[in-house]
Amino acid sequence: MVASSHRINLGPLVGAIDQGTSSTRFLVFNSKTAELLSHHQVEIKQLFPKEGWVEEDPKEILQSVYECIERACEKLTQLNIDVSNIKAVGVTNQRETTVVWDKLTGEPLYNAIVWLDLRTQSTIEHLIDKTPSRDKNHLRHKTGLPLSTYFSAVKLRWLLDNVEEVQQAVASHRAMFGTIDSWLIWCLTGGKSDGIHCTDVTNASRTMLFNIHTMAWDADLCKYFGVPMHILPKVRSSSEIYGLLKISSCWKAGALTGIPISGCLGDQSAALVGQMCFQDGSVKNTYGTGCFLLRNTGTRPVMSNNGLLTTVAYKMGRDKPTYYALEGSVAIAGAVVRWLQDNLGIISSSHELEMLAGSVGTSYGCYFVPAFSGLYAPYWEPSARGIICGLTQFTNKRHLSFAALEAVCFQTREILDAMNQDSGIPLTQLQVDGGMTTNKLLMQLQADILCISVVKPSMPETTALGAAMAAGAAEGVMVWSLEPEDLSTVTSERFDPQIKLEESEFRYARWKEAVKRSMNWETTHTLETESPEQNL
């Protein structure tokens, strides 16, 4: 009691669970200054049981959340900050990744199928073949999305078709479906003992089962994919009290039991909020496992003519308006670093990649298209596969490292060009965030290839910040004001273009040639001729 009397009172704090594709984090912010006070991170193991398959263990994900909350709270205590000052927790998550679990036992019925997974490619091709004019945009008028392996509905359909435990649980009304946010909120609010089964509008809009105009699950879409509606979570706004945390008293974080989970946003929407992109036309780009460019289009959904997605940006309260965004999605950004490190073994860290690439300052005519999961925006071409073009005897790992960084920048250029065409208003600077933005060479390359300035906030954890803002601003919590005059001023680092326009355009044109060569490589015919035991 004596020690606690000397603890620092900073006013109300807000926590954020940031569950990403490659790691989980828990971060604690001061709601008045947006200062990051404490955080902890745990890596998540990705499983690749077959070529093109990507899975993660839902129980490992949940355990990583508990560990991150516990360690971050320990660090707060070491700083003499009272954990009880945390007044709310927000959740942000990798989107589209699909989980089905048993509500009676609390056990997952299969691994989480990750958004990058390609096992449903043949299903997508079959669905496209059945549509008028083989149109992959057949459902876009309701969902804002093309038919793609990327989204949750076809992953869920695969589980319903191929996993007996899922089939049995659905038949006996024991099955629950959700994206990672739903799984975590259900577990953290009690699980099989009255856990709350819900999702928010941003995550729901990535399933292909949600009508972005009516803002509800759509019976026709569910029928189209053969999904029983009774397994779906309740859809809520991005900022309201969903339920109260229940953490065992044996954890130091048990002190958080009873505080509300009151914010929920898919990771890219959370970054949009964290970057304060509340105005129609404001844009941010996040560099994580993938790369995601979002433009706030205000309270009306804008349909793209250039391969971008129409998605829900946020809805900051039950009675608040829904905001929409145009999104350009790139599957492989930071994941290319992990591939160079884990698969090829030519680097030992992301820092080494920056050092190698910086030591040559050129790819020497080498172009790398990392289409490991096909091509996302603006092509939506699942048949594409990764290629490296322009190799000579002179090419070494330094040039390949540079080409890998350039690939991230070229992919961003493609989706930014599409966004400029859709909006008719060229962007004059790009706000960026995400783990890869610590790489200063990458940021300079991005400015050079876009021919506009790149602006990076000094506090890069904008995704978690967005979730914390949503949680703190919720009705019944109200410790974080989202009024423009109350938002904290953000200090930034700026990268301006340093090469001539002609050079940038030449390199970009060569990249486009490499992209053409990556397409139409994979077909489902080879999969269908494999022996039966290779497929579920």
Side-chain angles (χ1 to χ4, degrees):
M1 291 299 291
V2 175
S4 66
S5 66
H6 296 293
R7 284 187 183 152
I8 303 166
N9 189 344
L10 298 172
L13 312 180
V14 180
I17 297 165
D18 182 357
Q19 205 300 296
T21 313
S22 57
S23 69
T24 299
R25 289 179 289 180
F26 185 71
L27 306 93
V28 181
F29 296 91
N30 184 323
S31 67
K32 300 305 178 189
T33 64
E35 178 189 2
L36 176 60
L37 301 173
S38 175
H39 73 281
H40 190 75
Q41 178 171 333
V42 172
E43 295 292 313
I44 297 295
K45 184 179 180 182
Q46 291 184 354
L47 307 169
F48 305 97
K50 295 184 183 181
E51 184 183 350
W53 293 29
V54 190
E55 298 177 359
E56 292 178 351
D57 180 353
K59 293 175 75 173
E60 181 193 344
I61 289 173
L62 178 63
Q63 186 59 35
S64 72
V65 169
Y66 283 126
E67 183 179 344
C68 286
I69 294 174
E70 179 75 355
R71 298 291 170 258
C73 287
E74 284 178 356
K75 292 174 184 177
L76 278 180
T77 304
Q78 290 164 9
L79 293 168
N80 225 18
I81 298 171
D82 196 337
V83 172
S84 66
N85 285 338
I86 298 175
K87 302 303 181 186
V89 168
V91 175
T92 181
N93 56 287
Q94 52 172 311
R95 303 170 302 171
E96 301 96 16
T97 297
T98 299
V99 187
V100 178
W101 66 95
D102 188 316
K103 66 182 178 184
L104 298 184
T105 66
E107 292 294 311
L109 298 170
Y110 192 81
N111 279 335
I113 301 181
V114 176
W115 57 276
L116 284 164
D117 188 277
L118 286 177
R119 75 188 66 189
T120 56
Q121 184 177 335
S122 59
T123 305
I124 289 296
E125 291 185 6
H126 177 65
L127 289 172
I128 290 172
D129 284 340
K130 288 200 305 181
T131 63
S133 306
R134 297 195 75 254
D135 183 10
K136 63 188 170 191
N137 293 313
H138 180 58
L139 303 176
R140 189 184 282 267
H141 66 289
K142 282 190 174 186
T143 65
L145 312 172
L147 286 166
S148 168
T149 59
Y150 183 18
F151 307 110
S152 307
V154 282
K155 303 179 197 299
L156 177 53
R157 183 66 257 161
W158 186 92
L159 290 168
L160 292 166
D161 287 339
N162 293 285
V163 181
E164 189 177 349
E165 292 86 348
V166 172
Q167 295 164 357
Q168 291 172 351
V170 169
S172 57
H173 284 244
R174 292 180 291 111
M176 286 182 163
F177 153 78
T179 41
I180 294 296
D181 57 305
S182 299
W183 164 244
L184 293 179
I185 291 172
W186 185 80
C187 292
L188 292 170
T189 56
K192 60 185 179 180
S193 303
D194 300 319
I196 305 298
H197 188 211
C198 69
T199 188
D200 92 299
V201 292
T202 68
N203 281 294
S205 75
R206 312 297 292 194
T207 61
M208 293 205 86
L209 302 171
F210 186 76
N211 187 317
I212 63 172
H213 306 285
T214 65
M215 298 299 290
W217 299 121
D218 188 287
D220 290 338
L221 291 171
C222 290
K223 184 178 178 181
Y224 181 85
F225 289 104
V227 170
M229 296 186 75
H230 67 81
I231 70 173
L232 303 178
K234 183 177 180 181
V235 181
R236 313 276 286 271
S237 77
S238 308
S239 179
E240 62 176 273
I241 295 175
Y242 313 112
L244 305 181
L245 267 173
K246 295 179 181 176
I247 299 178
S248 170
S249 58
C250 67
W251 298 78
K252 283 187 174 63
L256 301 186
T257 290
I259 72 164
I261 300 177
S262 51
C264 180
L265 291 151
D267 52 7
Q268 303 314 316
S269 290
L272 195 74
V273 171
Q275 284 268 33
M276 323 291 179
C277 293
F278 296 121
Q279 299 301 313
D280 186 345
S282 51
V283 179
K284 69 89 203 172
N285 196 36
T286 300
Y287 300 77
T289 299
C291 192
F292 302 90
L293 184 71
L294 269 72
R295 184 183 197 119
N296 188 326
T297 63
T299 55
R300 63 186 181 90
V302 174
M303 294 297 164
S304 172
N305 295 315
N306 295 283
L308 302 180
L309 309 177
T310 303
T311 197
V312 176
Y314 52 82
K315 178 178 167 67
M316 300 302 273
R318 276 178 287 193
D319 301 321
K320 296 294 175 68
T322 301
Y323 280 76
Y324 296 88
L326 277 174
E327 175 176 325
S329 314
V330 170
I332 304 295
V336 79
V337 181
R338 196 162 183 169
W339 183 79
L340 290 171
Q341 181 176 324
D342 296 347
N343 292 40
L344 296 194
I346 65 172
I347 58 169
S348 58
S349 67
S350 55
H351 177 67
E352 186 181 358
L353 177 70
E354 182 177 4
M355 297 295 291
L356 285 173
S359 68
V360 285
T362 176
S363 68
Y364 201 75
C366 174
Y367 289 84
F368 183 0
V369 183
F372 302 153
S373 295
L375 288 169
Y376 282 16
Y379 303 102
W380 298 106
E381 184 49 70
S383 71
R385 288 295 179 270
I387 62 165
I388 302 170
C389 297
L391 296 174
T392 70
Q393 284 183 309
F394 184 72
T395 308
N396 61 38
K397 65 180 181 179
R398 292 174 174 81
H399 303 118
L400 185 57
S401 297
F402 193 93
L405 294 181
E406 271 194 321
V408 176
C409 301
F410 286 134
Q411 290 179 102
T412 298
R413 167 76 186 266
E414 289 187 310
I415 54 179
L416 184 61
D417 282 357
M419 197 161 280
N420 286 339
Q421 289 172 36
D422 276 331
S423 68
I425 307 170
L427 203 64
T428 55
Q429 71 173 30
L430 181 65
Q431 290 176 237
V432 300
D433 60 80
M436 288 191 84
T437 60
T438 58
N439 186 323
K440 293 193 174 187
L441 174 59
L442 176 70
M443 294 295 95
Q444 185 56 57
L445 277 173
Q446 188 66 88
D448 290 344
I449 288 166
L450 295 180
C451 305
I452 61 173
S453 298
V454 169
V455 180
K456 183 189 84 161
S458 55
M459 200 289 289
E461 303 293 352
T462 52
T463 301
L465 177 61
M469 290 166 65
E475 185 179 352
V477 179
M478 300 296 288
V479 298
W480 204 309
S481 172
L482 299 184
E483 295 301 318
E485 63 271 17
D486 295 328
L487 294 174
S488 304
T489 304
V490 178
T491 57
S492 303
E493 185 175 1
R494 185 183 183 92
F495 298 85
D496 296 315
Q498 294 182 353
I499 66 173
K500 291 181 179 178
L501 177 64
E502 295 77 16
E503 182 185 346
S504 176
E505 293 300 320
F506 173 78
R507 284 156 62 179
Y508 183 49
R510 296 282 283 173
W511 157 264
K512 299 282 274 188
E513 286 297 318
V515 170
K516 287 180 188 175
R517 287 163 166 76
S518 76
M519 291 190 183
N520 302 311
W521 182 263
E522 189 64 39
T523 68
T524 53
H525 175 72
T526 55
L527 298 175
E528 288 163 358
T529 56
E530 288 175 351
S531 57
E533 65 267 22
Q534 288 182 281
N535 293 286
L536 268 174

